[in-house]
Every structure is written in C-alpha cells, then in structure tokens.
Amino acid sequence: MRKLRSILFAGLLSAAASAAFAAADAKPFTLVLDPGHGGKDYGCVGKMTNEKTIVLNVAKMLGKMVDAAYGDSVRTVFTRPDDTFISLQERAAIANRAGGDFFVSIHVNSVDKRTRGRENIHGASVYTLGLHKSESNLGVAMRENAVMELEEDYSATYQGFDPNSSESYIIFELSQDANMKQSLEMASLMQGELTGYAGRADKDVRQAGFWVLWSTSMPSVLVELDFICNPAAERFLASEKGQRKCAEALFRAFKDYYGRHKQSLSDGR
Ligand SMILES: [Zn+2]
C-alpha cells in the first residue's frame, strides 16, 4: 500500500513537474502599451494639463492592472515608461522587437483652436488602421502623425511621407492586413467599455492612417480617450479618478479579448 501510494505520489509529482515545464515554456502574451507623445512633444494641451501626462498615467495604471491580474502569462512592454520623446518609428520598432501580440497606442483628442464650438465636442473613439472615411478622421491622423516633424530629417526616416498632405494617405488604402479582424475586435471592446464603463460619449470605432499603426506588425489600435478642449472632459482626464476609470475600461476590454483568444494563442505556438 505504501508502495502504491509512493508510485501515485511520484506520478502526481511528474505531472506537476511537466505542467510547470509547460508553463515555463509557454511564451507569454506580449501587450505593448504606447503612451503617445512625451518630452518636448506635449501632444494636445488644455487649460489644466496636457496629453502626454494624461496618457502616461493611464498607460501606467493599465500596465499595473494587467501585471497584477496575469503575472507571467502576460508581459507588458512600454514604448516609453516616462516623460521622454520617442519617435513614431522607434515606437513601432520597440513593439516589433518585443514580438508584441497587441499594440495599444493611447492618446487624447482635441480640435483646432479656430473650430467653433470646440468646448462642446466630447467623446471617445478607438481607431484601427485604414483609409479615413471622413475629413475629421483624416484630421486626427494628420495631427498625430505630425509628431514626426519634430524629428530632424524626418522625410528620410519616413520615406517621403508628408503627414500634412492628404495624398500621402493613399498608402493606407492598401493596408488590408491580416491583423484587421483582431484589431477591430479589440477596438469595439474598448469603445464599448470607454462609453459604458468610463461614461464617455460614443464617437465610434473609426479608421484612419496612423503611421505608428501601419509600422507595427501586430494587431493594433489607437485610443482617443476624450477631448481635452472640452473643459468638463479635461477635468475628468486630469483627475486621478478619471484616469483610473479610463485605465479600468481598457483593462476590462483587454481581459475580454484575452479570454476569447487565450486558447487559440497557446495552440498556435
Ligand atoms: Zn496624440
């Protein structure tokens, strides 16, 4: 009896050991978090705060939530962990080098100072890569892509792409990439949580030509949390509570996405 017990025990041990090996072997899901702007690039500037500060705080909160919930099974990689300037090309390179499974770029929206009623506009939009269907979507992509002009010799780095010329954006028409389905799925989950959970107005899932999404070789989204030019939205975005709500909304969407894809991800490896 004792012998039988020890055989059983040994069997259990080896099963536990092989499970541990399998866990050690399994490649973690790599979530790349990209807080927009940073350093000399403030992004959109409001009356109380600015985009680079808000999005860094939200990304850090989100990273902590993911780390606490998933431990070693999900690895978070930041394109910038602090207030430094990182070029769009380098952000994509960091994500590609890390072998990212998903890329989330976090931003805050605004409209031009000359736009009438800019203090009333508000709401969240989650973008995937594609050709814009409206001038306002193109405007958002132009503003985010214009960051490249802060780099010396950007024209060479970005292969002659002119962020201010709508003709340049034709390259994104051909970008029906293999990641579109997953990108759209995450975008709609995030849009649902930002509007439902974080209480942002619904300005829809949209498509536009963002260089940083185009250069990353994984499913990707670009989140515009809300409009900093709207005083109430800015107060929300500037507050710890508001930033936490946004981070929690993105976390809930990630949790949903990861739960749906976990099995197929581990089967595919
Ligand atoms: Zn931005």
Side-chain angles (χ1 to χ4, degrees):
M1 186 63 199
R2 183 180 290 170
K3 194 175 174 199
L4 181 61
R5 211 183 288 154
S6 69
I7 289 168
L8 279 174
F9 187 62
L12 279 175
L13 261 187
S14 73
S18 58
F21 271 118
D25 273 358
K27 187 173 167 281
F29 184 98
T30 300
L31 175 65
V32 184
L33 298 175
D34 175 45
H37 315 277
K40 64 183 174 184
D41 170 19
Y42 283 72
C44 303
V45 178
K47 291 197 170 70
M48 305 160 69
T49 184
N50 53 63
E51 180 178 2
K52 69 168 185 172
T53 309
I54 297 165
V55 297
L56 181 60
N57 290 345
V58 171
K60 280 185 161 173
M61 287 174 183
L62 173 58
K64 277 195 187 134
M65 289 170 198
V66 172
D67 290 345
Y70 295 102
D72 291 338
S73 25
V74 179
R75 182 170 69 114
T76 47
V77 172
F78 283 78
T79 55
R80 66 169 180 106
D82 51 27
D83 184 22
T84 42
F85 178 80
I86 308 276
S87 72
L88 293 180
Q89 195 62 20
E90 183 55 18
R91 289 168 196 268
I94 290 169
N96 293 340
R97 279 199 300 267
D101 292 293
F102 213 104
F103 180 83
V104 180
S105 192
I106 306 175
H107 292 258
V108 163
N109 219 336
S110 184
V111 289
D112 192 86
K113 282 205 168 64
R114 289 163 298 184
T115 310
R116 234 194 295 160
R118 72 193 285 267
E119 299 204 335
N120 299 322
I121 189 165
H122 63 287
S125 297
V126 183
Y127 281 85
T128 59
L129 178 66
L131 191 67
H132 53 276
K133 292 194 181 76
S134 74
E135 285 304 308
S136 82
N137 295 359
L138 173 63
V140 172
M142 279 182 166
R143 202 193 58 243
E144 301 293 7
N145 290 332
V147 168
M148 59 180 70
E149 293 175 308
L150 297 175
E151 292 171 55
E152 268 175 46
D153 203 19
Y154 81 87
S155 186
T157 309
Y158 297 93
Q159 301 147 37
F161 178 83
D162 177 357
N164 303 308
S165 149
S166 57
E167 276 128 56
S168 285
Y169 285 74
I170 204 78
I171 58 166
F172 302 118
E173 194 174 19
L174 308 167
S175 62
Q176 288 298 330
D177 63 313
N179 299 319
M180 189 54 86
K181 195 166 165 259
Q182 283 136 290
S183 304
L184 277 171
E185 185 184 347
M186 181 76 95
S188 89
L189 291 171
M190 287 184 164
Q191 186 68 19
E193 296 291 350
L194 285 169
T195 54
Y197 180 80
R200 303 299 86 203
D202 192 358
K203 290 193 80 70
D204 303 325
V205 167
R206 296 165 183 238
Q207 274 79 49
F210 295 92
W211 185 276
V212 76
L213 300 186
W214 191 61
S215 316
T216 42
S217 54
M218 64 211 70
S220 60
V221 294
L222 186 143
V223 182
E224 297 280 359
L225 295 170
D226 208 330
F227 285 79
I228 203 169
C229 51
N230 176 305
E234 183 182 10
R235 275 196 300 280
F236 176 83
L237 292 170
S239 69
E240 220 248 38
K241 200 175 154 203
Q243 292 171 2
R244 188 160 298 280
K245 270 279 186 206
C246 291
E248 281 167 353
L250 300 179
F251 174 68
R252 287 161 65 100
F254 174 73
K255 211 167 117 185
D256 205 346
Y257 178 91
Y258 183 73
R260 293 180 189 192
H261 290 275
K262 196 166 53 176
Q263 197 52 45
S264 59
L265 284 162
S266 55
D267 290 349
R269 285 178 177 145

